[in-house]
Structure formats: structure tokens, C-alpha cells
Amino acid sequence: MTEAYIYDALRTPRGKGRKDGALHEVTSVRLSALTLNALKERNNLEGHAVEDVIWGNVTQVMEQGGCLARSAVLASDLDESIPGLAINRFCASGMEAVNLAANQVRGGAGDAYIAGGVEMMGRVAMGSDGAAIAVDPSLAMETYFVPQGISADIIATEYGFTRDQADALAVESQKRAAKAWEENRFEKSVITVRDQNGLAILDRDEYMRPQTDMQSLGALNPSFQMMGEQMPGFDKVAMLKYPHLERINHIHHAGNSSGIVDGAAAVLIGNKEFGEKHGLKPRARIRSTAKIGTDPTIMLTGPVPVTEKILAESGMAFSDIDLFEVNEAFASVVLRFMQAFDADPDKVNVNGGSIAMGHPLGATGAIIIGTLLDELERQDKQVGLATLCIASGMGAATIIERV
């Protein structure tokens, strides 16, 4: 099978996903186009240089609807002969775009692809597209649907994680992200977003709160306790599914959950011939990809079984992986991953994660693959694994290996 290589990876800074956020006036299409242009310029991609643009975005309505991928190509400087495919695997959309592109290359369906994603959460509200699993009573009742925040608290309850453990992970995420920026660890990958006059709008992640400590987090009230304990009473729904739980321990709040932000990311993937034709040197090969379905109520445990699956399919052991990126959708997701594999915390999310820098849903999967690659290079390590939990009970993972 043909090898699929990563030739480049970049992202925008993540802006606060609200009206006073630095990127709020930038549309999804424009931010996508700016990201595509940056990748084009860095790699001299002229004409029909890539087979397709595969672009993840979760809330596919309004400005993010109507095959945003194709709209982004037309709004960019890429050749109009390049088509576009918009995909949605919820929080793993950006990763699935990369995985799909890699597997297309490996299968011989084109020499190269651009893959990634975007989410402007301050402009297109999360959940505004509706979802059958949440709004169709027959499906919601059958699957014991609860919102993701309740699912995160179910994980904490089921696996014994405390509020202090979750808050400590959040504080560490903030410290690591601040240190990464101080040491310019993102310099290779983060592009500056500029307005139409060429003036810089944002050149670093805006959401971070490096002053965060255990005391400040301790003052925050649990975000999901009211919806769990009062109407519509999602705790009772969860306990119908898991009758062994006497109560749900609500430990998550805004400070130990992922931030609502705007952002985009892109990865250039191609075979050996593509690199030789364009004078590009591959940075890593995509060794393996995987996805899996999981319990839709607890919902967010997917990183564990999908990691087991991808390692088994790759003939690898957990100890063969040098570094891990586990999306910090909620603190309990990462805590569960580290508990399940007895993972060394110093190898997981070395530069912080979505708790500190935010989680632009459609872009995050591509972001963490790029972050993982940069860190492998910085530490001169070889193999990394990136994984995300996914709404409605799924998991996705990618293993990359430097070349």
C-alpha cells in the first residue's frame, strides 16, 4: 500500500468564541480560506496540486453550511479545479478529515490532499443545527441521551475522579500552554490572522488564563448540576442506564472543561511522488487510523477503546508510543485515558490542551495532530498518538511516525 506522508501542518490562533473575541468578525469561509492560502504559499501549490480539500465542521448551518469545503476553496487562492468535501464526525471532524485523506492516498485515489477543519463557535452556536439523538424523543429515550457535560460527570462518578483531580489537570493544562507559548513551541505552525488591509487581528491563542490556580477554580460552581438534578433531570436518565450509581458527582465547570473558541487548521498529506514533484520533504507518515462506536450515554470514553483498537491493528504496544495528544473536552476524559493505560502524565498533552486554549470543534482533530508532530520534532521522538472523544459515543485516533 502507498505510504501517506504529512508534509505540512498549520493552524490559526484560537480566538474567544464570543462577540468580543478577536476573530468574531471573521466568517468561517474567510478563516478557512486564509488557512488554505497559508498552506498553499508555504508549499508552492500551483494549479491542481491536490486531489481534494476535505474539511471538517460540526455545526453545518448558516455560513458553515452548504459544503463549506468547496466554498472555502473558491474563496481561497487555490485553483478552482480542486473540489471540496465537508464532513462531520462531531469533535473528531478535523481528525477524520486527515484520516480520510491519508487513506485515500494510501489507496491510490490521488497523490495529495489538504485536510483539516474550522469552527466559528462565536458566530454559529454549537447545537444550532439540531441533532436527532437530542431532539427526537424516540431516539433520545432509547439511547438514554444526556448532554455531554452530564456524560463527563458520569465518567468522573464511574471511575472515581474527584473535583480536585479535575481542577489540578486544568491548572496543569494552563501552565503547559503558557510555557509552550513562552518558549515559542507553536512558532512553526501558528499563522497570523490578518484583516483585508493586512493588519494583524490575532497571532496567539486568546482564550488562555495562565493565572489559573486551584483556588480560583475552587470558587466556580459545577456547570451541569442543575440540569442534572432539576428539570429535565438528566441524572435520573443516567441512573436508569447505570442503576449501580447512587448519584452523579458533578465536578465539571467552565475551568476544567474545554473552551468555546473560533479557529481553523490544515494538514498537507501526500504520497512520495507528490513530495518529489513539488520539492517537499515529508515530516511524518501516517502509520494508522481508527474509529469506533461506544456507549452513547457515558459518551466520552471513546479514546480508550479506539486506542486499544489502533494499537492492536498496528501491532504495537502502548509503550511503543512516545507522546500522546488526548483532547481535553473535559478533564475526566483525559483522567480516564491516563487511568486506563497507566500513562505517564509527562507524555500526555505536553503543551496543554483544549481546557487552556479552547476546542474549535471542527478543527481540533487537525490541530492536535499538528501539535503532536511539532512536539515529536522538538523532543526528537519518533511515534505519537492523537485521539478524541466524540459526541453520541464514538472515538477516533491517529498514529504518526516521523521520517
Side-chain angles (χ1 to χ4, degrees):
M1 184 175 288
T2 302
E3 293 284 9
Y5 297 101
I6 296 176
Y7 284 94
D8 199 6
L10 54 79
R11 68 174 178 91
T12 70
R14 285 167 274 196
K16 295 177 182 178
R18 58 194 195 198
K19 290 183 178 180
D20 62 349
L23 299 180
H24 183 69
E25 298 305 317
V26 183
T27 66
S28 307
V29 170
R30 181 159 178 263
L31 195 68
S32 299
L34 290 172
T35 307
L36 295 175
N37 286 344
L39 201 69
K40 174 185 183 292
E41 293 166 10
R42 279 176 34 158
N43 298 281
N44 299 312
L45 303 178
E46 299 298 331
H48 193 86
V50 299
E51 186 72 18
D52 204 353
V53 171
I54 306 178
W55 212 239
N57 65 290
V58 174
T59 311
Q60 297 190 359
V61 295
M62 298 181 290
E63 68 182 55
Q64 290 186 170
C67 191
L68 177 61
R70 178 58 176 165
S71 298
V73 170
L74 294 175
S76 76
D77 296 331
L78 291 175
D79 194 281
E80 67 178 15
S81 66
I82 298 171
L85 171 65
I87 66 167
N88 180 4
R89 199 187 290 278
F90 295 124
C91 298
S93 296
M95 174 175 285
E96 190 60 36
V98 172
N99 291 354
L100 178 57
N103 290 326
Q104 292 283 86
V105 170
R106 293 166 80 184
D111 290 337
Y113 287 73
I114 295 174
V118 69
E119 206 78 33
M120 301 302 290
M121 300 180 74
R123 295 179 61 89
V124 183
M126 179 172 55
S128 59
D129 55 339
I133 197 168
V135 302
D136 183 332
S138 61
L139 181 59
M141 293 175 67
E142 181 179 332
T143 57
Y144 296 90
F145 169 80
V146 299
Q148 286 189 28
I150 301 294
S151 297
D153 287 337
I154 295 172
I155 293 173
T157 306
E158 178 71 22
Y159 295 101
F161 304 127
T162 66
R163 166 77 178 255
D164 281 351
Q165 286 177 295
D167 286 356
L169 186 144
V171 170
E172 185 64 21
S173 180
Q174 295 284 354
K175 288 181 178 178
R176 292 183 180 189
K179 183 176 182 181
W181 272 105
E182 289 167 4
E183 296 184 355
N184 296 318
R185 296 184 188 179
F186 301 132
E187 186 176 29
K188 181 184 296 183
S189 299
V190 176
I191 63 173
T192 298
V193 178
R194 300 182 182 276
D195 64 17
Q196 294 178 337
N197 297 315
L199 300 176
I201 298 173
L202 188 64
D203 63 1
R204 63 184 288 119
D205 292 321
E206 183 182 30
Y207 183 79
M208 295 189 305
R209 293 159 290 181
Q211 73 283 359
T212 299
D213 56 24
M214 293 293 288
Q215 289 69 35
S216 61
L217 294 185
L220 299 177
N221 293 322
S223 296
F224 310 105
Q225 186 168 1
M226 184 173 293
M227 72 169 64
E229 296 179 353
Q230 301 179 19
M231 291 300 291
F234 285 111
D235 283 7
K236 292 182 179 179
V237 174
M239 287 186 284
L240 286 173
K241 180 74 172 284
Y242 314 113
H244 62 284
L245 300 179
E246 296 181 359
R247 61 183 296 274
I248 305 300
N249 184 21
H250 293 285
I251 69 167
H252 289 93
H253 50 73
N256 59 27
S257 306
S258 57
I260 294 174
V261 295
D262 304 324
V267 181
L268 178 60
I269 300 161
N271 58 23
K272 181 180 179 181
E273 290 73 22
F274 168 79
E276 292 174 345
K277 178 180 178 180
H278 292 272
L280 301 174
K281 182 180 178 181
R283 296 172 62 188
R285 72 181 178 104
I286 297 181
R287 181 162 176 166
S288 187
T289 69
K291 58 269 187 183
I292 201 167
T294 63
D295 181 339
T297 306
I298 201 168
M299 195 184 309
L300 307 174
T301 55
V304 173
V306 81
T307 296
E308 293 171 341
K309 179 183 180 185
I310 199 171
L311 290 174
E313 291 176 347
S314 303
M316 302 176 72
F318 192 82
S319 58
D320 294 329
I321 308 298
D322 296 311
L323 293 172
F324 300 88
E325 284 288 323
V326 183
N327 186 41
E328 294 175 353
F330 298 90
S332 64
V333 173
V334 183
L335 290 170
R336 173 56 189 151
F337 180 89
M338 292 193 293
Q339 179 192 63
F341 297 106
D342 192 24
D344 181 352
D346 291 335
K347 295 183 178 181
V348 179
N349 300 346
V350 173
N351 296 306
S354 292
I355 289 174
M357 293 173 283
H359 177 17
L361 306 177
T364 302
I367 288 175
I368 66 173
I369 289 173
T371 299
L372 180 62
L373 177 54
D374 285 347
E375 188 61 21
L376 286 170
E377 292 174 341
R378 189 185 75 85
Q379 293 194 28
D380 194 22
K381 298 291 179 64
Q382 286 301 116
V383 182
L385 183 152
T387 183
L388 302 93
C389 61
I390 308 174
S392 76
M394 293 183 283
T398 308
I399 294 177
I400 63 174
E401 181 177 17
R402 287 178 60 205
V403 296

